[in-house]
Amino acid sequence: MSHLSERLAQLKSENRAAFIAYLPAGFPTVEKSKAAIEVLVKNGADIIEIGFPYSDPIMDGPIIQEAADIALANGAGAKEVLEILEFTTNLNVPAVVMTYWNPIEQYGISKFADAIKSANGSGVITPDLSLEEANPWINESNRAGIDNIFVAAPSSLPERLNHVASACSGFVYAASLMGVTGTRTSVSSSAKDLVARIRESVQTPVCVGLGVSTPEQAKEVASYADGVIVGSALIKILLEQPDFETGLKELATLTKSLADGIRQAR
Amino acid sequence: MSTTTDLTGGKPDVSVGHFGEYGGRFVPEALVAALDELAQMHAQTQTDPTFIAELDELHRTYSGRPSIITEAKRFACYAGGARIILKREDLNHTGSHKINNVLGQALLTKRMGKSRVIAETGAGQHGVATATAAALMGLDCVVYMGEEDTKRQSLNVARMKLLGAEVVPVTSGSRTLKDAINEAMRDWVTNVADTHYILGTVAGPHPFPTMVRDFHRIIGDEARAQVIELTGKLPDAVLACVGGGSNAIGIFYPFIQDTSVRLIGLEAGGDGIETGRHASAISGGRPGVLHGARSYMLQDKDGQTRESHSISAGLDYPGVGPEHAYLHDIGRAEYRPITDKEAMEAFSLLSRTEGIIPAIETAHALAGAMKVGNELGPKATLLINLSGRGDKDVETAANYFENLKM
């Protein structure tokens, strides 16, 4: 069982949802992204999702695009992603990598699965790896002993949804709405339906992402999902503050209030 | 040759759209249901007499098909004296081959009950064609265009707006065609319930490479019969420019079984492959996944897409359609780079020798014809897809030749 699965099982026994916090690796720089991850962990994030910055992120809105561009301009690549993954798991928190498919294919599928494992990463989220193309990756991640996490969408038809959910280990990533990442004023009602539909097919925990940005939204999602994924709202804080130190303070405040919201949900 | 092989099972499996190891589907799950519906609708309509008749009537009474062929006798003197035959897609309504695909997809949009279409555009030809079809069929239309391209092709921006489309300048990434596709994909993921994405080339996730090819194969079907009627035989080579590769696959496809006919795609060589500033995915790239399919592409060691460079906005794209990747690997088609300079010489030459101003994209194919004609000599017959007209490029050309004088 991966560190991720252990942590989700433990939180389930405590009757609360996990707080999964996302940051792109190397944003704004390698050292600063490590500092930001420390802030997330100290202030209540249960699991860290590390983004592999990519040139063509079609599932991401403007905030994550901008952060990825900054990280890439500062030289973030596979080496930096793995370095930050290892740094994170050394904080004794479960961590997964979120990456578009081409960087894995270019690194080498087998080699990438091994590298995630040796950095003590729990698994990889692949938002654009369609199930039809996923067999080589599923085989390699199983061999390496890491989780493979796919994204389920509200538009998935029942049979398809069952296939996607069944292919996941660790957790099923439920996209709360039809759209890209970013902050939203409310969480779509389709999220709750989707979680219920996924639970009809599998026992795997279901975590909800896309558009969750405030403590109120996090609390609402935490009342029914096994995990709440927040990304853009955290990055926005760092992008908006004039200097990084102030950004980290604001990040600590938001992280803590999101964590509190999630803890008060049930 | 439409057979596509599933890597895992080894059996032909058209449903996932593989061409050897290329193509397939690498997309957010939110799009899968829409892609499945589209694939099914495309397959159905391919043999539906009502659909075929509707599209055929649009071709005849709206876009002006069949397009003619023109023998370019004066231009031929610069191509080793080879017989040069031009397939005149520039004479189609809206000025390029793009309308063939757009009319087909717009009809499919109506059949799927969707009311809004979106498109990406580089040179603006596909955007203009989409805006045209949307106006004709009463569909809302949004066109994504890299900010850089809106400047290079301002005339086409004005045309799209006149046709009632909204043009959204894309300011992310390299601000060109690649980024316009990203933005269109993001729109589609969000609005897929009422929106169809009219992708303009033979790239993207299944079924786009197959579907767009099927809507453009009319170019090759007509040209093959026309050349045989004119010359009594098959041509020795068929040439076309390749960015994403839609006009090329359209004219190549009906010749694939004619193994005596060489198929030659001309990629945008920019400042030259050796400079790294080019848009030649096959000649200067390697396999990877971009915009939902596996094919050749320009990328760095980490798989980040590299920016492409070409004087031609329509070829300025770091990827290429997966079927071209496959035809290249099996040796059925050849792909060569043509530099900006070579293309502009051919652009000027066709204008002065034949009274036809080609699109700069198309000029790459003409430059290729000059080389291949010289290699094969006066006995050879070359069929060239004259994919678009150059009105939109007059400003670029004026600047280019003016700079040369300095």
Side-chain angles (χ1 to χ4, degrees):
Chain A
M1 192 183 250
S2 67
H3 193 189
L4 169 70
S5 295
E6 285 169 16
R7 187 86 181 111
L8 286 168
Q10 180 209 337
L11 292 174
K12 193 180 175 71
S13 71
E14 293 170 18
N15 191 32
R16 78 164 173 91
F19 174 16
I20 305 176
Y22 169 95
L23 279 183
F27 163 73
T29 65
V30 169
E31 290 315 311
K32 285 178 177 171
S33 72
K34 287 179 183 171
I37 287 167
E38 275 189 309
V39 166
L40 296 175
V41 173
K42 273 186 195 156
N43 290 281
D46 300 300
I47 294 158
I48 300 295
E49 179 187 338
I50 295 163
F52 193 139
Y54 179 54
S55 54
D56 296 275
I58 57 168
M59 264 302 283
D60 287 306
I63 295 169
I64 294 182
Q65 284 175 47
E66 187 181 346
D69 284 347
I70 293 169
L72 288 172
N74 289 330
K79 183 176 154 282
E80 288 72 23
V81 170
L82 294 165
E83 178 188 331
I84 289 165
L85 176 63
E86 188 158 13
F87 169 84
T88 308
T89 54
N90 283 340
L91 300 173
N92 198 30
V93 60
V96 294
V97 167
M98 196 294 305
T99 179
Y100 290 87
W101 177 247
N102 198 43
I104 298 185
E105 187 160 304
Q106 300 308 318
Y107 192 88
I109 299 176
S110 176
K111 214 176 119 197
F112 192 78
D114 287 336
I116 295 289
K117 183 68 181 175
S118 18
N120 293 314
S122 292
V124 180
I125 303 169
T126 47
D128 67 341
L129 179 60
S130 299
L131 221 49
E132 294 86 346
E133 310 287 345
N135 274 344
W137 172 245
I138 292 173
N139 292 340
E140 287 302 325
S141 52
N142 285 346
R143 180 195 54 73
I146 58 172
D147 291 325
N148 40 257
I149 299 153
F150 296 96
V151 181
S155 61
S156 302
L157 300 172
E159 193 189 350
R160 173 84 189 181
L161 187 63
N162 181 30
H163 286 164
V164 172
S166 305
C168 292
S169 53
F171 66 86
V172 181
Y173 191 127
S176 71
L177 47 77
M178 297 298 286
V180 296
T181 60
T183 56
R184 304 284 198 290
T185 48
S186 66
V187 176
S188 162
S189 63
S190 61
K192 195 172 182 177
D193 297 341
L194 181 60
V195 171
R197 288 172 62 206
I198 293 168
R199 284 191 177 136
E200 283 170 21
S201 352
V202 295
Q203 302 287 314
T204 320
V206 184
C207 302
V208 171
L210 294 200
V212 185
S213 45
T214 66
E216 293 71 31
Q217 292 168 344
K219 186 177 172 184
E220 180 196 335
V221 173
S223 68
Y224 58 82
D226 298 299
V228 184
I229 305 166
V230 183
S232 297
L234 305 173
I235 296 162
K236 191 161 174 253
I237 292 259
L238 294 176
L239 282 172
E240 277 174 356
Q241 296 308 318
D243 65 278
F244 191 69
E245 290 312 310
T246 317
L248 285 186
K249 278 179 199 151
E250 295 288 324
L251 183 67
T253 310
L254 177 63
T255 305
K256 188 153 189 327
S257 59
L258 287 164
D260 288 346
I262 289 166
R263 281 170 175 79
Q264 290 157 12
R266 300 182 203 160
Chain B
M1 204 52 71
S2 66
T3 47
T4 53
T5 310
D6 179 2
L7 273 182
T8 50
K11 290 178 197 158
D13 185 356
V14 181
S15 68
V16 285
H18 288 119
F19 305 91
E21 64 180 293
Y22 302 109
R25 198 183 265 178
F26 297 82
V27 293
E29 184 60 24
L31 293 180
V32 169
L35 290 168
D36 282 346
E37 183 193 14
L38 185 61
Q40 199 186 2
M41 191 63 81
H42 168 59
Q44 258 174 28
T45 50
Q46 281 291 97
T47 54
D48 175 347
T50 315
F51 183 88
I52 293 168
E54 244 178 311
L55 186 55
D56 183 59
E57 189 181 343
L58 284 171
H59 282 325
R60 281 185 294 106
T61 65
Y62 189 70
S63 53
R65 301 209 74 89
S67 65
I68 59 171
I69 55 169
T70 298
E71 185 156 5
K73 289 183 179 163
R74 276 169 42 77
F75 180 80
C77 300
Y78 299 88
R83 201 164 180 188
I84 301 290
I85 296 166
L86 308 175
K87 176 62 173 167
R88 299 293 304 280
E89 292 297 300
D90 60 319
L91 297 179
N92 294 340
H93 181 43
T94 73
S96 79
H97 70 291
K98 294 290 187 189
I99 193 80
N100 304 327
N101 165 48
V102 161
L103 289 174
Q105 287 201 50
L107 283 181
L108 287 181
T109 306
K110 300 276 271 188
R111 285 217 167 191
M112 291 185 290
K114 294 184 173 184
S115 58
R116 176 175 179 265
V117 291
I118 55 172
E120 84 295 344
T121 199
Q125 297 296 78
H126 175 59
V128 167
T130 304
T132 299
L136 176 70
M137 301 192 197
L139 300 164
D140 292 334
C141 178
V142 175
V143 179
Y144 291 95
M145 188 170 189
E147 193 183 42
E148 192 65 29
D149 293 334
T150 59
K151 291 179 196 153
R152 285 196 279 195
Q153 305 284 348
S154 55
L155 185 63
N156 271 342
V157 174
R159 289 167 80 192
M160 287 183 270
K161 288 183 177 167
L162 270 174
L163 292 160
E166 182 189 344
V167 179
V168 179
V170 175
T171 56
S172 58
S174 58
R175 306 177 178 212
T176 60
L177 181 54
K178 156 183 104 72
D179 308 283
I181 295 178
N182 290 341
E183 215 48 49
M185 288 273 195
R186 292 182 186 117
D187 180 318
W188 204 28
V189 169
T190 309
N191 300 303
V192 66
D194 72 346
T195 298
H196 174 59
Y197 177 16
I198 302 191
L199 188 64
T201 191
V202 286
H206 178 67
F208 285 108
T210 307
M211 180 179 68
V212 176
R213 175 200 71 204
D214 290 343
F215 286 136
H216 279 309
R217 67 167 292 168
I218 192 166
I219 305 170
D221 285 331
E222 287 175 5
R224 191 174 179 281
Q226 287 166 323
V227 170
I228 291 173
E229 195 191 345
L230 179 72
T231 69
K233 61 183 182 63
L234 286 165
D236 296 288
V238 178
L239 295 90
C241 64
V242 176
S246 68
N247 91 80
I249 211 77
I251 198 161
F252 287 177
Y253 193 65
F255 288 97
I256 286 177
Q257 306 296 344
D258 302 319
T259 49
S260 68
V261 180
R262 283 172 64 183
L263 306 176
I264 305 172
L266 291 312
E267 297 191 291
D271 293 342
I273 296 281
E274 67 289 351
T275 66
R277 291 177 51 81
H278 61 86
S280 304
I282 294 178
S283 313
R286 64 172 203 277
V289 171
L290 174 66
H291 293 146
R294 184 180 291 114
S295 187
Y296 282 82
M297 60 177 283
L298 306 181
Q299 56 185 320
D300 71 9
K301 64 170 174 42
D302 277 339
Q304 308 288 351
T305 311
R306 272 181 39 212
E307 281 183 30
S308 54
H309 296 274
S310 170
I311 191 168
S312 148
L315 303 182
D316 200 351
Y317 178 61
V320 65
E323 194 164 9
H324 286 294
Y326 177 67
L327 292 174
H328 168 265
D329 280 14
I330 63 169
R332 181 62 192 93
E334 318 156 40
Y335 297 84
R336 304 183 184 186
I338 294 292
T339 62
D340 286 354
K341 185 165 177 289
E342 291 167 331
M344 292 311 290
E345 280 166 13
F347 175 89
S348 165
L349 192 63
L350 191 78
S351 304
R352 283 185 283 116
T353 57
E354 301 290 343
I356 298 169
I357 302 175
I360 295 176
E361 289 77 16
T362 311
H364 289 71
L366 295 161
M370 291 165 70
K371 291 186 179 185
V372 174
N374 277 302
E375 288 162 21
L376 299 183
K379 284 187 181 157
T381 299
L382 309 185
L383 170 65
I384 295 124
N385 195 3
L386 199 81
S387 55
R389 68 178 183 224
D391 307 40
K392 69 185 175 61
D393 294 317
V394 169
E395 198 181 327
T396 306
N399 290 336
Y400 180 85
F401 292 117
E402 183 59 31
N403 289 342
L404 283 189
K405 275 184 210 153
M406 284 159 57

